[in-house]
């Protein structure tokens, strides 16, 4: 079980500078660059796009970037807000549009920290649990029975394709895998494990 900041956006104005804080879920640190690149493209007139993230379950895999702001005044305060919330698997970026008035190192640090902290307070957090993602392949009759079992175990079905066989992706709690494995053998269904991901449970 981990805590993730919900995805969202809010804006803080400090001495005419706009600080737009944006939260996104991430699975690994590799997700960070594409998100930041997209934000820089979307906000091409912004002076800075700074960020902090915590990418793992324990809080050991983290990072931050000042993106041209004085060292330690932007990315680290954003990360500190995430750490204070004990958030995991979360990236917060703060886009700054310069308003013409310099804030100084202390003012910048407070503004970036406040932007991230107020975003967390506004959008809230959710608990998330690890799920195993599997791909199931079977005939239509078997799928009807398997689908009933998936529903009974509160498994989440992501997508279904009806072709010669029925193929679907599902997210399954680890403790249910033994029961499902036995059912797949009984119903002559094939499955393979795709990977793992966290999903919100509230």
């Amino acid at each position: 079980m981990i805590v993730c900041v919900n995805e969202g956006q809010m804006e803080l104005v400090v001495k005419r500078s706009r600080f737009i804080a944006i939260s996104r879920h991430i699975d690994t640190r590799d997700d960070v660059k594409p998100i930041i690149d997209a934000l820089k493209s979307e906000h091409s007139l912004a002076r800075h796009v700074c960020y902090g993230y915590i990418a793992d379950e324990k809080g050991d895999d983290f990072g931050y970037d000042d993106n041209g702001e004085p060292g330690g005044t932007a990315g680290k305060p954003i990360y500190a807000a995430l750490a204070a919330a004990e958030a995991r698997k979360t990236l917060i970026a703060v886009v700054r549009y310069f308003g013409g008035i310099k804030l100084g190192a202390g003012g910048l640090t407070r503004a970036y920290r406040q932007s991230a902290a107020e975003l967390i307070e506004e959008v809230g957090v959710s608990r998330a649990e690890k799920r195993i993602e599997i791909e199931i392949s079977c005939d239509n009759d078997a799928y009807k029975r398997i689908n009933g079992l998936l529903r009974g175990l509160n498994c989440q079905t992501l997508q279904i394709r009806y072709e010669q066989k029925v193929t679907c992706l599902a997210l399954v709690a680890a403790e249910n895998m033994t029961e499902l494995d036995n059912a797949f053998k009984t119903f002559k269904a094939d499955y393979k494990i795709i990977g793992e991901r966290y999903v919100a449970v509230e």
Side-chain angles (χ1 to χ4, degrees):
M1 182 80 69
I2 61 172
V3 169
C4 299
V5 177
N6 294 326
E7 295 194 344
Q9 177 175 316
M10 63 83 64
E11 181 173 332
L12 175 70
V13 178
V14 180
K15 294 183 179 180
R16 298 197 302 223
S17 279
R18 297 170 58 206
F19 294 84
I20 304 170
I22 301 154
S23 53
R24 294 286 184 268
H25 295 158
I26 56 174
D27 287 316
T28 71
R29 63 167 52 219
D30 293 335
D31 296 335
V32 173
K33 187 177 185 302
I35 295 172
I36 298 301
D37 287 346
L39 289 173
K40 286 180 177 179
S41 177
E42 179 183 349
H43 297 274
S44 58
L45 299 180
R47 180 72 65 91
H48 307 279
V49 180
C50 309
Y51 64 86
Y53 69 85
I54 300 176
D56 66 338
E57 299 93 337
K58 295 182 178 180
D60 298 330
D61 186 6
F62 62 88
Y64 42 82
D65 183 46
D66 296 315
N67 190 224
E69 294 281 31
T73 64
K76 195 170 185 179
I78 297 169
Y79 159 74
L82 280 169
E86 298 184 344
R88 303 291 185 263
K89 298 282 187 175
T90 303
L91 161 74
I92 291 182
V94 179
V95 179
R96 182 190 180 196
Y97 286 87
F98 182 54
I101 301 174
K102 293 184 177 181
L103 303 181
L108 284 172
T109 300
R110 287 190 296 272
Y112 279 104
R113 173 67 185 259
Q114 183 180 351
S115 297
E118 289 190 4
L119 172 66
I120 294 170
E121 183 177 356
E122 182 169 310
V123 302
V125 299
S126 294
R127 293 187 307 143
E129 292 181 346
K130 186 181 288 187
R131 294 287 186 266
I132 299 171
E133 183 176 357
I134 62 174
E135 182 181 72
I136 305 164
S137 177
C138 58
D139 62 35
N140 190 60
D141 288 340
Y143 178 72
K144 291 178 181 178
R145 301 173 72 182
I146 289 171
N147 186 47
L149 180 59
L150 292 172
R151 289 175 180 272
L153 294 174
N154 292 320
C155 300
Q156 182 180 350
T157 301
L158 302 179
Q159 64 182 40
I160 307 170
R161 295 195 307 273
Y162 294 94
E163 297 172 344
Q164 288 184 336
K165 285 192 171 185
V166 180
T167 303
C168 79
L169 294 178
L171 296 176
V172 180
E175 60 265 25
N176 293 329
M177 280 303 300
T178 299
E179 182 175 352
L180 284 171
D181 183 65
N182 292 332
F184 293 147
K185 291 174 182 176
T186 300
F187 302 147
K188 297 181 179 179
D190 297 319
Y191 79 95
K192 61 181 179 181
I193 295 175
I194 304 298
E196 296 179 340
R197 68 166 75 176
Y198 277 86
V199 297
V201 294
E202 63 177 18

